[in-house]
């Protein structure tokens, strides 16, 4: 009998890499990708694997409890890897309620459905909640987030993710639901939606538009190649301990301004433009309200307990990412037409 794994948010950026990793690596699994196909969900991300026999797509909204319960009845998944979420901090500032609905209520709906479906026997079952380092709040110029760092979210996005983490842990502590949580740092890579810093700048360099840098550009993030995140999820899903959290990061901190300059350098090189031309597009703009200064992950636990290490350096990962965008300009055109234009005009007016 094939194991059935329900992956939520599998049409999004990270979810599509997780779905591909599982579908291609585990012939003995049937992967069910549950996604509402919001603005961030795109089945084009999975066109290479959509016809494989161990893959099924189900369109559903995790805020719809009855539909989620029915899907659990129909497919009876043994495992859940939960990535569906509203994921962009700037959008959470303009519409916090959407983040409460999907990230909090949606997660609780999934927990209830898993609990009901697995109530007779938790053996071999697992609910893996994919979360973020933003739940820990902000660091000063030194220090790292560990699994023991107290939660201190500042944006509506991180508050909603923190809340969902607390619910997942509460279902473990109260109902013994077998859960694991991963808290990952900033991802980048193929299929990244161009509302986030790196793909937005790639798109703007290609179209000769300003590169908007919030505030003084000294904000710092710890960047991880998305395929390495997918591998970390695979490891924790299979080998993590129930009830535990694992931080995932790249030991790869960049100030935004330095990162964008490195991106400009590589793009000029690949596009055959004179060195320094893309940098001239850099434009400092109004800061993000509540902007966290610095995130940086201490990934010692996942490294020592599960032998996890990122496989590519940032320069390699960034180069692979730019190449993917250059080779997939139709994908970029498709996701930046329509609603994206309205979003961009409002956000960067
Ligand atoms: P994304 O925005 O690219 O994709 C989210 C996916 O969820 C989309 O396919 C969307 O259609 C789907 N979705 C949204 N609302 C839904 C709903 N109500 N019902 C069903 N599906 C819905 O997000 P991402 O960047 O791939 O992030 C995936 C997960 O990883 C999120 O939980 C996010 O918090 C977490 N995470 C992201 C990062 C990062 O750097 N992007 C880092 C750490 C953790
Ligand atoms: O840390 C993990 C988180 O990383 C994930 O949980 C989120 O889902 C993901 O969106 C990401 O959040 P950030 O807010 O860090 O990512 P973003 O790409 O939006 O911004 C990265 C940094 O760049 C941040 O300091 C804000 C800045 N920025 C962003 C945009 C979109 C700019 O300076 N200009 C911009 O136009």
């Amino acid at each position: 009998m094939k194991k059935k794994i329900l992956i939520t948010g599998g049409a999004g950026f990270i979810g599509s890499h997780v779905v591909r990793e599982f579908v291609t690596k585990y012939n003995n699994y049937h992967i069910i990708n549950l996604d509402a196909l919001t603005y961030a969900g795109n089945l084009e991300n999975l066109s290479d694997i959509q016809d494989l026999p161990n893959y099924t797509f189900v369109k559903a909204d995790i805020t719809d409890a009855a539909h989620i319960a029915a899907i659990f009845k129909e497919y009876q998944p043994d495992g859940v890897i939960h990535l569906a979420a509203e994921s962009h901090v700037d959008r959470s500032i303009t519409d916090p309620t959407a983040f409460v609905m999907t990230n909090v209520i949606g997660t609780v709906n999934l927990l209830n459905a898993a609990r009901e479906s697995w109530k007779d026997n938790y053996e071999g079952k697992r609910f893996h909640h994919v979360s973020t380092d933003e739940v820990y709040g902000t660091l000063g110029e030194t220090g790292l987030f560990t699994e023991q760092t107290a939660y201190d979210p500042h944006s509506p996005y991180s508050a909603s993710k923190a809340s969902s983490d607390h619910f997942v842990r509460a279902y473990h502590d109260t109902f013994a639901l077998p859960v694991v949580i991963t808290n990952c740092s900033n991802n980048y890579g193929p299929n990244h939606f161009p509302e986030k810093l790196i793909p937005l700048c790639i798109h703007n360099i290609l179209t000769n538009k300003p590169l908007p840098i919030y505030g003084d550009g000294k904000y710092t993030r710890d960047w991880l190649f998305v395929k390495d995140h997918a591998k970390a999820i695979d490891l924790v899903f299979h080998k993590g301990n129930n009830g535990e959290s694992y931080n995932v990061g790249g030991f790869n901190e960049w100030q935004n301004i330095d990162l964008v300059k490195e991106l400009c350098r590589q793009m000029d090189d690949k596009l055959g433009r004179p060195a320094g031309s893309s940098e001239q597009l850099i434009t400092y703009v109004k800061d993000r309200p509540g902007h966290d200064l610095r995130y940086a992950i201490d990934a010692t636990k996942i490294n020592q307990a599960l032998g996890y290490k990122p496989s590519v350096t940032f320069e390699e990962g960034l180069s692979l990412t730019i190449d993917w965008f250059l080779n997939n300009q139709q994908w970029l055109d498709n996701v930046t037409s329509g609603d994206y234009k309205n979003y961009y005009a409002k956000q960067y007016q």
Side-chain angles (χ1 to χ4, degrees), residues 43 55 70 92 175 191 202 267 270 273 277 293 304 347:
L43 289 177
Y55 171 74
S92 81
F175 307 117
N191 310 96
I202 292 175
M267 292 276 297
K270 286 178 193 286
R273 293 182 182 173
S277 47
L293 176 67
Q304 292 188 349
Q347 179 64 26

Side-chain angles (χ1 to χ4, degrees), residues 8-15 34-42 60-63 82-88 102-103 130-133 157 161 183-188 191-193 195-196 229:
T8 72
F13 165 48
I14 302 170
L34 184 162
D35 199 295
L37 300 182
T38 68
Y39 78 92
N42 184 353
D61 187 329
I62 59 170
T63 65
H82 173 37
L83 296 107
E86 288 293 340
S87 69
H88 191 39
T102 287
N103 299 359
V130 177
S131 192
T132 171
D133 60 357
Y157 164 69
K161 291 296 290 188
N183 296 89
C184 189
S185 62
N186 287 62
N187 284 216
Y188 69 97
N191 310 96
H192 205 178
F193 193 81
E195 63 189 350
K196 312 278 166 58
H229 187 188

Side-chain angles (χ1 to χ4, degrees), residues 3 11 14 32 41-42 153 174 205 214 218 251 266 285 307 309:
K3 263 200 161 193
I14 302 170
I32 301 119
N42 184 353
T174 309
I205 290 171
Y214 295 162
K218 300 234 166 104
F251 288 109
Q266 288 203 22
V285 300
K309 255 209 310 233

